[in-house]
Amino acid sequence: MTKSKLPPADDWQARDISDWNVQTFLAFITETTLEKYGVEYSPGGGGSKQARWGRERGMLKNAQGKYGNRVLKAFIEICWREYRTSKPELYPYPSITFCVSYMDRYFTEAVSQVAREARRAKVAEELAVDGEELSDWF
């Protein structure tokens, strides 16, 4: 059996969430930030741009290892939904550094949301009726 080749890491829409890596998350974040907020994504925090990108990569990698891809994606989406700022011209979107540092309380909500979705999928699978089995009844 040959292993099928994954789409490029930057192609987050073509990859299954279980196959996402840090590069895939960064592509998701940069593309969605441009779409949602109309600005190009740039990492937050202090230091050189290279150091900030490195810090965000590390934060994403740590969260990925601790929570998994589904929870991390849900967490990012919750942060986008809940983000408020009094200075939108300076801080139009939450960076990953900001989300992990100041909005980390939403990890609990993301864990619950993913668990709920998994339970629903399991129940839906258990309740699914096989067409052949149903035709045998009639």
Side-chain angles (χ1 to χ4, degrees), residues 76-124:
I76 293 167
E77 291 171 336
I78 291 167
C79 288
W80 285 334
R81 183 188 72 214
E82 297 298 326
Y83 179 69
R84 306 288 184 272
T85 180
S86 60
K87 298 181 180 181
E89 64 283 348
L90 290 176
Y91 310 108
Y93 58 87
S95 68
I96 293 305
T97 302
F98 183 84
C99 292
V100 172
S101 300
Y102 298 102
M103 300 179 86
D104 59 327
R105 64 191 172 276
Y106 294 119
F107 271 117
T108 304
E109 184 178 337
V111 168
S112 297
Q113 177 182 315
V114 169
R116 247 187 338 270
E117 290 168 0
R119 283 192 302 272
R120 281 188 194 128
K122 184 178 179 187
V123 168

Side-chain angles (χ1 to χ4, degrees), residues 33-78:
T33 298
L34 184 60
E35 180 182 306
K36 285 179 76 61
Y37 300 100
V39 293
E40 190 174 313
Y41 183 82
S42 183
S48 69
K49 197 168 194 173
Q50 182 178 1
R52 291 179 297 171
W53 278 112
R55 187 178 315 113
E56 291 211 348
R57 286 178 180 280
M59 288 179 158
L60 286 168
K61 186 70 175 169
N62 287 340
Q64 221 182 349
K66 185 173 181 178
Y67 297 103
N69 289 351
R70 292 183 195 286
V71 171
L72 180 54
K73 184 175 185 268
F75 168 74
I76 293 167
E77 291 171 336
I78 291 167

